Amino acid sequence: MKILKLLFLFFIFSISNLLAQKIQSPEEFLGYRAGEQFTPHYRVLEYYKYLASASKNILIQEYGKSYEGRPLFLVFIASDQNIGRLEDIRKNNLALAGIMDGVSGHKNADIPASQPVLVWLSYNVHGNESVSTEASMHTAYALLNPLEQRSKTWLKNTMVIIDPCLNPDGRERYVNFYNSVKNLNPDPHPFSREHVEPWPGGRANHYYFDLNRDWAWQSQVESQQRLAVFNKWLPQVHVDFHEQGIDAPYYFAPAAEPYHQDISKWQRDFQTIIGKNNAKYFDQNGWMYFTRERFDLLYPSYGDTYPVYNGSVGMTYEQGGSGRAGLAVINAEGDTLTLKDRIEHHFTTGLSTVEAASNHSEKALFEFKSYFLNSRSSPSGEYKSYIIRGENTEKLKTLAVLLRRNGIDFGYGSAKGGQGLNYYTGRNENFKVERNDMVISAYQSKSVLLKVLFEPNTFVSDSATYDITAWSLPYAFGLQAYASKDALKPEFKGISEQVPVNSNIINPVAFIANWNSLSDVRFLADLLNSNIRVRYSEIPFETGGKRFNAGSLIIARSGNAHLGADFEKKVNELAKKSGITLQAIPSAFVDKGADLGSDKIRYIKKPKILLVGGESVSSLAFGEIWHFFEQQINYPLTVIRAQDLMRINWDEFDIMILPDGNYNDIGNDRMQQWVRAGGKLIAMEGAVSRLSEIKGFDIKIKEEVKKEDKAGNPYEDIRAYENRERESVRTNIPGAIYKVNLDNTHPLGFGFPDFYYTLKLDDKIYQYLSKGWNVGVIKKDNYVTGFVGAQVKKKLADGLIFGVQEMGNGSVVYLSDNPLFRSFWENGKLFFSNAVFMVGQ
């Protein structure tokens, strides 16, 4: 009897213990089964907070907020032994990379016996690829469930970091749309209302930026905050979860060619190991998948490539679905794809990846350490240092910010000179290093990322690429630079600030700001917002022993009497805020050029700006302009939908900007009448193409060169069907750099030398304007770097890229290439600002 009683008590104790250990699944906590509805972001956060209260093996860290104020957070899941020593694990991991306190150059540490391999899982970087966040909750639950023995085994040597939603603003835009229009029973027909998102869609963030193209550039607040944390951890494995078209099966690694040539053998091999582990589970369930196609590892700012260039094994996983899928959708084969299916697929690959990392943890840690050891002691590639000229300190400071965000070490000045490739001339030349020249040694932990961002020519092993093929930072920033085979080291940590000449002048007649960077644009915007009158010089001039560019800003005491005794204080405060150097001058009489009272000195009117958006406009192109004005120069603008243009009071606005798009009704009589009356129309990319078809606009697409006679090769058009993708690249230009010959005497070219590097994203080139100014043109040999199809390369010669047409009292600015592309083409921001603030004054 006593034995039965003891057994009964033991049974009761066991049941109580199991109940105490039980953690609610997402279904139990949220109140609906997986795939029945989309979970709003606040409920996702509530579930993770619940998990943190119910399990001792999880910690939550909020690392920032989105533009709309939603929390961005990470979830750390580890064993009993590891969850309490996260900071030790982090520091040990960075020590393996030779990094301490964000600085490389330290000796790579030995691998501690207790060090876990780090697996980072990133979900929902594209807001309407909304299955990701749902899957993250199920993955976290499986890893924490005390009844799940596999997870306990994996967590003995693995720590998992989960970012449940990289883009909460975009996801909420999609979820709110879908929940507001869905039928009581989901309608699976792919063209029903619930499967067609309205403009701008949920893919991008608040400012309509694609966050999956922003990892290296970090133009967006979400990326800046996330990468600050990422670079403090540097995981061994990183997965970026995505969705693709509804007709596609699941995609996982290994990736497609082109692989960047600096991706290591281990990074390639482990992709295959993980891919085969994923395939094992998909085969067991009869699920279809594909590998080694479409998704390459080249462009450095993706969620797979950026981690790869930082020592991780980075991968993209793509589930069929995206914004078209909703809760259920019929695909081309007639099958119904459900949200439940999509969750299960991402859930499976997530756990499979953790398992594979756990099974190879020792090897993964060893290779991680070796990767950074090789980076520091024997950097890849022929160039061992990069020297960036310091003539434009404002641009150089902006570049320094980008490098710091990416953990790249640099300094200034060197006693040694050297020889290197001049990015501007394409020739090897001797150079001296001046005190304020930036010097970047390749002998550092972030050597591979440095090489990728600065390489003058990116080797492309396969021309069928997924994104742009050129991004070299000296061209993007418009900074003269050298790539040298000599191993130079910087002598100074910081730049030497130059004290302006005549800085002690009492009661100056005016202040001058040289016009050559975005910092000067911010200064101008602040002046205009403060109702301070500003002028600019149409021509270069010299005063006080200093030369100033055409376009340089002149803030004279005359005309600003309303500031009274605060004139100097206010102007200097705004200059300091913008980070620029002001030159005080005692007299309006200059040494060379036009005196300040000349008619070559123009007043800058504070413009009222209208930005066109809506269904016919590219949301990404629109977002780049919107973000530029609001977040980069803080200048007000009015946004209107294209379909509402005929309802506005045109006389209220001075400038209208037409971003890239597929417009139906622009360039009409009312718009031309407004321009003739003094308005300024800035047309970009597709808007330029549309205006080329409309009478009254001088812009015309250049006709293609007629095809050569085929008599010499009568079989030219006979091609193998299997090579159709390769054949198509002959007419493709995914993104390449061209040198534009620039008329820098025109206001559109102010602040530039007689050339500008443009990122060419299409094959459009225009005839020279017969009634306007051909400010930026491409000649025969202006190709610089990046992949360009053979037929496109022939076409892109002797034509217009940037021009200005005067129309009555107004003007039309044609920008056929996008100078604000993804906000990383820094040099283009000044060019765009010229179109806004300088042209037509």
Side-chain angles (χ1 to χ4, degrees), residues 755-780:
F755 58 87
Y756 166 84
Y757 292 97
T758 188
L759 188 63
K760 204 82 186 72
L761 300 164
D762 58 33
D763 65 348
K764 295 286 192 306
I765 192 166
Y766 294 84
Q767 297 176 21
Y768 298 128
L769 299 175
S770 60
K771 300 176 183 177
W773 304 102
N774 298 287
V775 182
V777 301
I778 287 179
K779 296 184 177 179
K780 280 188 171 60

mmCIF file of all heavy atoms in Angstrom, residues 755-780:
data_model
loop_
_atom_site.group_PDB
_atom_site.id
_atom_site.type_symbol
_atom_site.label_atom_id
_atom_site.label_comp_id
_atom_site.label_asym_id
_atom_site.label_seq_id
_atom_site.Cartn_x
_atom_site.Cartn_y
_atom_site.Cartn_z
ATOM 1 N N PHE A 755 33.545 66.513 -64.688
ATOM 2 C CA PHE A 755 33.028 65.162 -64.884
ATOM 3 C C PHE A 755 32.247 64.737 -63.644
ATOM 4 O O PHE A 755 32.364 65.346 -62.565
ATOM 5 C CB PHE A 755 34.157 64.165 -65.164
ATOM 6 C CG PHE A 755 35.203 64.102 -64.080
ATOM 7 C CD1 PHE A 755 35.052 63.260 -62.985
ATOM 8 C CD2 PHE A 755 36.336 64.903 -64.147
ATOM 9 C CE1 PHE A 755 35.997 63.215 -61.980
ATOM 10 C CE2 PHE A 755 37.292 64.866 -63.144
ATOM 11 C CZ PHE A 755 37.119 64.022 -62.053
ATOM 12 N N TYR A 756 31.458 63.707 -63.813
ATOM 13 C CA TYR A 756 30.638 63.155 -62.734
ATOM 14 C C TYR A 756 30.461 61.669 -63.033
ATOM 15 O O TYR A 756 30.264 61.283 -64.191
ATOM 16 C CB TYR A 756 29.282 63.870 -62.692
ATOM 17 C CG TYR A 756 28.206 63.192 -61.864
ATOM 18 C CD1 TYR A 756 28.138 63.389 -60.494
ATOM 19 C CD2 TYR A 756 27.258 62.363 -62.455
ATOM 20 C CE1 TYR A 756 27.145 62.778 -59.732
ATOM 21 C CE2 TYR A 756 26.258 61.762 -61.707
ATOM 22 C CZ TYR A 756 26.208 61.961 -60.348
ATOM 23 O OH TYR A 756 25.232 61.365 -59.607
ATOM 24 N N TYR A 757 30.541 60.831 -61.997
ATOM 25 C CA TYR A 757 30.331 59.403 -62.194
ATOM 26 C C TYR A 757 28.881 59.063 -61.895
ATOM 27 O O TYR A 757 28.370 59.357 -60.813
ATOM 28 C CB TYR A 757 31.271 58.591 -61.304
ATOM 29 C CG TYR A 757 32.714 58.720 -61.729
ATOM 30 C CD1 TYR A 757 33.570 59.620 -61.100
ATOM 31 C CD2 TYR A 757 33.211 57.969 -62.792
ATOM 32 C CE1 TYR A 757 34.889 59.753 -61.508
ATOM 33 C CE2 TYR A 757 34.529 58.098 -63.204
ATOM 34 C CZ TYR A 757 35.358 58.998 -62.560
ATOM 35 O OH TYR A 757 36.658 59.124 -62.969
ATOM 36 N N THR A 758 28.226 58.443 -62.875
ATOM 37 C CA THR A 758 26.820 58.089 -62.726
ATOM 38 C C THR A 758 26.664 56.580 -62.669
ATOM 39 O O THR A 758 27.441 55.839 -63.287
ATOM 40 C CB THR A 758 25.979 58.661 -63.890
ATOM 41 O OG1 THR A 758 24.585 58.455 -63.619
ATOM 42 C CG2 THR A 758 26.311 57.992 -65.207
ATOM 43 N N LEU A 759 25.675 56.131 -61.923
ATOM 44 C CA LEU A 759 25.341 54.708 -61.893
ATOM 45 C C LEU A 759 24.256 54.487 -62.921
ATOM 46 O O LEU A 759 23.118 54.932 -62.758
ATOM 47 C CB LEU A 759 24.858 54.303 -60.503
ATOM 48 C CG LEU A 759 24.650 52.800 -60.292
ATOM 49 C CD1 LEU A 759 25.958 52.027 -60.448
ATOM 50 C CD2 LEU A 759 24.061 52.529 -58.903
ATOM 51 N N LYS A 760 24.617 53.805 -64.005
ATOM 52 C CA LYS A 760 23.687 53.598 -65.126
ATOM 53 C C LYS A 760 22.889 52.331 -64.877
ATOM 54 O O LYS A 760 23.434 51.234 -64.765
ATOM 55 C CB LYS A 760 24.476 53.474 -66.434
ATOM 56 C CG LYS A 760 23.669 53.834 -67.667
ATOM 57 C CD LYS A 760 23.636 55.326 -67.870
ATOM 58 C CE LYS A 760 22.704 55.709 -69.014
ATOM 59 N NZ LYS A 760 21.279 55.551 -68.723
ATOM 60 N N LEU A 761 21.560 52.493 -64.810
ATOM 61 C CA LEU A 761 20.676 51.382 -64.475
ATOM 62 C C LEU A 761 19.802 50.942 -65.639
ATOM 63 O O LEU A 761 19.027 49.995 -65.502
ATOM 64 C CB LEU A 761 19.783 51.773 -63.292
ATOM 65 C CG LEU A 761 20.540 52.130 -62.006
ATOM 66 C CD1 LEU A 761 19.634 52.855 -61.038
ATOM 67 C CD2 LEU A 761 21.107 50.878 -61.366
ATOM 68 N N ASP A 762 19.908 51.647 -66.769
ATOM 69 C CA ASP A 762 19.134 51.248 -67.942
ATOM 70 C C ASP A 762 19.909 51.658 -69.192
ATOM 71 O O ASP A 762 20.989 52.245 -69.112
ATOM 72 C CB ASP A 762 17.730 51.879 -67.933
ATOM 73 C CG ASP A 762 17.771 53.403 -67.888
ATOM 74 O OD1 ASP A 762 18.710 54.004 -68.463
ATOM 75 O OD2 ASP A 762 16.863 54.010 -67.300
ATOM 76 N N ASP A 763 19.355 51.335 -70.334
ATOM 77 C CA ASP A 763 20.062 51.625 -71.593
ATOM 78 C C ASP A 763 19.597 52.934 -72.227
ATOM 79 O O ASP A 763 19.864 53.195 -73.404
ATOM 80 C CB ASP A 763 19.864 50.465 -72.581
ATOM 81 C CG ASP A 763 18.411 50.312 -73.017
ATOM 82 O OD1 ASP A 763 17.528 50.942 -72.403
ATOM 83 O OD2 ASP A 763 18.157 49.552 -73.975
ATOM 84 N N LYS A 764 18.911 53.778 -71.461
ATOM 85 C CA LYS A 764 18.375 55.025 -72.008
ATOM 86 C C LYS A 764 19.491 56.051 -72.215
ATOM 87 O O LYS A 764 20.289 56.317 -71.321
ATOM 88 C CB LYS A 764 17.314 55.612 -71.079
ATOM 89 C CG LYS A 764 16.052 54.760 -70.928
ATOM 90 C CD LYS A 764 15.189 54.825 -72.167
ATOM 91 C CE LYS A 764 13.809 54.234 -71.928
ATOM 92 N NZ LYS A 764 13.795 52.872 -71.400
ATOM 93 N N ILE A 765 19.506 56.637 -73.386
ATOM 94 C CA ILE A 765 20.381 57.760 -73.680
ATOM 95 C C ILE A 765 19.636 58.642 -74.679
ATOM 96 O O ILE A 765 18.840 58.150 -75.494
ATOM 97 C CB ILE A 765 21.744 57.289 -74.237
ATOM 98 C CG1 ILE A 765 22.746 58.447 -74.265
ATOM 99 C CG2 ILE A 765 21.608 56.629 -75.598
ATOM 100 C CD1 ILE A 765 24.178 58.004 -74.480
ATOM 101 N N TYR A 766 19.842 59.954 -74.602
ATOM 102 C CA TYR A 766 19.003 60.891 -75.340
ATOM 103 C C TYR A 766 19.823 61.721 -76.323
ATOM 104 O O TYR A 766 21.044 61.889 -76.167
ATOM 105 C CB TYR A 766 18.260 61.803 -74.355
ATOM 106 C CG TYR A 766 17.265 61.033 -73.516
ATOM 107 C CD1 TYR A 766 17.677 60.374 -72.357
ATOM 108 C CD2 TYR A 766 15.949 60.918 -73.904
ATOM 109 C CE1 TYR A 766 16.775 59.638 -71.596
ATOM 110 C CE2 TYR A 766 15.036 60.183 -73.157
ATOM 111 C CZ TYR A 766 15.455 59.542 -72.006
ATOM 112 O OH TYR A 766 14.558 58.808 -71.276
ATOM 113 N N GLN A 767 19.122 62.235 -77.320
ATOM 114 C CA GLN A 767 19.761 63.135 -78.274
ATOM 115 C C GLN A 767 20.156 64.425 -77.563
ATOM 116 O O GLN A 767 19.537 64.824 -76.574
ATOM 117 C CB GLN A 767 18.794 63.472 -79.420
ATOM 118 C CG GLN A 767 18.363 62.290 -80.270
ATOM 119 C CD GLN A 767 17.334 62.676 -81.308
ATOM 120 O OE1 GLN A 767 17.213 63.850 -81.665
ATOM 121 N NE2 GLN A 767 16.589 61.708 -81.809
ATOM 122 N N TYR A 768 21.186 65.065 -78.083
ATOM 123 C CA TYR A 768 21.570 66.355 -77.520
ATOM 124 C C TYR A 768 20.417 67.348 -77.704
ATOM 125 O O TYR A 768 19.733 67.352 -78.732
ATOM 126 C CB TYR A 768 22.825 66.886 -78.211
ATOM 127 C CG TYR A 768 24.030 65.983 -78.034
ATOM 128 C CD1 TYR A 768 24.774 65.561 -79.132
ATOM 129 C CD2 TYR A 768 24.423 65.550 -76.763
ATOM 130 C CE1 TYR A 768 25.871 64.727 -78.979
ATOM 131 C CE2 TYR A 768 25.522 64.730 -76.606
ATOM 132 C CZ TYR A 768 26.245 64.312 -77.709
ATOM 133 O OH TYR A 768 27.329 63.489 -77.552
ATOM 134 N N LEU A 769 20.205 68.188 -76.697
ATOM 135 C CA LEU A 769 19.148 69.192 -76.772
ATOM 136 C C LEU A 769 19.533 70.263 -77.789
ATOM 137 O O LEU A 769 20.641 70.790 -77.764
ATOM 138 C CB LEU A 769 18.935 69.836 -75.403
ATOM 139 C CG LEU A 769 18.498 68.915 -74.256
ATOM 140 C CD1 LEU A 769 18.460 69.697 -72.946
ATOM 141 C CD2 LEU A 769 17.139 68.295 -74.547
ATOM 142 N N SER A 770 18.590 70.603 -78.657
ATOM 143 C CA SER A 770 18.847 71.653 -79.634
ATOM 144 C C SER A 770 18.435 73.019 -79.099
ATOM 145 O O SER A 770 18.894 74.049 -79.566
ATOM 146 C CB SER A 770 18.074 71.364 -80.928
ATOM 147 O OG SER A 770 16.674 71.308 -80.683
ATOM 148 N N LYS A 771 17.572 73.023 -78.057
ATOM 149 C CA LYS A 771 17.081 74.283 -77.501
ATOM 150 C C LYS A 771 17.331 74.345 -75.996
ATOM 151 O O LYS A 771 16.527 74.886 -75.250
ATOM 152 C CB LYS A 771 15.581 74.424 -77.771
ATOM 153 C CG LYS A 771 15.207 74.415 -79.243
ATOM 154 C CD LYS A 771 13.700 74.458 -79.410
ATOM 155 C CE LYS A 771 13.308 74.379 -80.886
ATOM 156 N NZ LYS A 771 11.826 74.354 -81.058
ATOM 157 N N GLY A 772 18.413 73.747 -75.585
ATOM 158 C CA GLY A 772 18.691 73.735 -74.155
ATOM 159 C C GLY A 772 20.159 73.528 -73.881
ATOM 160 O O GLY A 772 21.009 73.703 -74.763
ATOM 161 N N TRP A 773 20.453 73.120 -72.665
ATOM 162 C CA TRP A 773 21.830 72.981 -72.215
ATOM 163 C C TRP A 773 22.146 71.518 -71.972
ATOM 164 O O TRP A 773 21.515 70.863 -71.151
ATOM 165 C CB TRP A 773 22.044 73.803 -70.942
ATOM 166 C CG TRP A 773 21.683 75.240 -71.133
ATOM 167 C CD1 TRP A 773 20.553 75.867 -70.717
ATOM 168 C CD2 TRP A 773 22.453 76.216 -71.836
ATOM 169 N NE1 TRP A 773 20.549 77.177 -71.094
ATOM 170 C CE2 TRP A 773 21.714 77.436 -71.775
ATOM 171 C CE3 TRP A 773 23.683 76.214 -72.502
ATOM 172 C CZ2 TRP A 773 22.165 78.613 -72.362
ATOM 173 C CZ3 TRP A 773 24.134 77.388 -73.073
ATOM 174 C CH2 TRP A 773 23.394 78.561 -72.998
ATOM 175 N N ASN A 774 23.133 71.030 -72.703
ATOM 176 C CA ASN A 774 23.556 69.633 -72.581
ATOM 177 C C ASN A 774 24.618 69.561 -71.482
ATOM 178 O O ASN A 774 25.824 69.551 -71.744
ATOM 179 C CB ASN A 774 24.101 69.140 -73.918
ATOM 180 C CG ASN A 774 23.044 69.182 -75.001
ATOM 181 O OD1 ASN A 774 22.127 68.376 -75.010
ATOM 182 N ND2 ASN A 774 23.160 70.150 -75.918
ATOM 183 N N VAL A 775 24.162 69.474 -70.254
ATOM 184 C CA VAL A 775 25.058 69.616 -69.104
ATOM 185 C C VAL A 775 25.876 68.357 -68.865
ATOM 186 O O VAL A 775 27.070 68.433 -68.566
ATOM 187 C CB VAL A 775 24.257 69.974 -67.841
ATOM 188 C CG1 VAL A 775 25.189 70.165 -66.648
ATOM 189 C CG2 VAL A 775 23.430 71.236 -68.069
ATOM 190 N N GLY A 776 25.266 67.206 -68.976
ATOM 191 C CA GLY A 776 25.969 65.950 -68.734
ATOM 192 C C GLY A 776 25.813 64.999 -69.902
ATOM 193 O O GLY A 776 24.693 64.581 -70.216
ATOM 194 N N VAL A 777 26.930 64.645 -70.556
ATOM 195 C CA VAL A 777 26.856 63.797 -71.744
ATOM 196 C C VAL A 777 27.838 62.633 -71.600
ATOM 197 O O VAL A 777 28.846 62.717 -70.896
ATOM 198 C CB VAL A 777 27.178 64.586 -73.035
ATOM 199 C CG1 VAL A 777 26.210 65.740 -73.202
ATOM 200 C CG2 VAL A 777 28.615 65.087 -73.031
ATOM 201 N N ILE A 778 27.500 61.550 -72.266
ATOM 202 C CA ILE A 778 28.388 60.395 -72.360
ATOM 203 C C ILE A 778 28.984 60.369 -73.753
ATOM 204 O O ILE A 778 28.269 60.488 -74.753
ATOM 205 C CB ILE A 778 27.620 59.087 -72.071
ATOM 206 C CG1 ILE A 778 27.310 58.977 -70.575
ATOM 207 C CG2 ILE A 778 28.412 57.878 -72.524
ATOM 208 C CD1 ILE A 778 26.537 57.733 -70.205
ATOM 209 N N LYS A 779 30.287 60.219 -73.805
ATOM 210 C CA LYS A 779 30.960 60.108 -75.100
ATOM 211 C C LYS A 779 31.281 58.644 -75.381
ATOM 212 O O LYS A 779 30.756 57.756 -74.725
ATOM 213 C CB LYS A 779 32.202 60.997 -75.109
ATOM 214 C CG LYS A 779 31.847 62.488 -74.969
ATOM 215 C CD LYS A 779 33.059 63.389 -75.082
ATOM 216 C CE LYS A 779 32.626 64.849 -75.001
ATOM 217 N NZ LYS A 779 33.774 65.784 -75.078
ATOM 218 N N LYS A 780 32.129 58.392 -76.336
ATOM 219 C CA LYS A 780 32.348 57.021 -76.802
ATOM 220 C C LYS A 780 32.990 56.128 -75.750
ATOM 221 O O LYS A 780 32.638 54.970 -75.599
ATOM 222 C CB LYS A 780 33.201 57.026 -78.068
ATOM 223 C CG LYS A 780 32.431 57.352 -79.334
ATOM 224 C CD LYS A 780 33.295 57.136 -80.563
ATOM 225 C CE LYS A 780 32.472 57.258 -81.846
ATOM 226 N NZ LYS A 780 31.852 58.589 -81.984
#
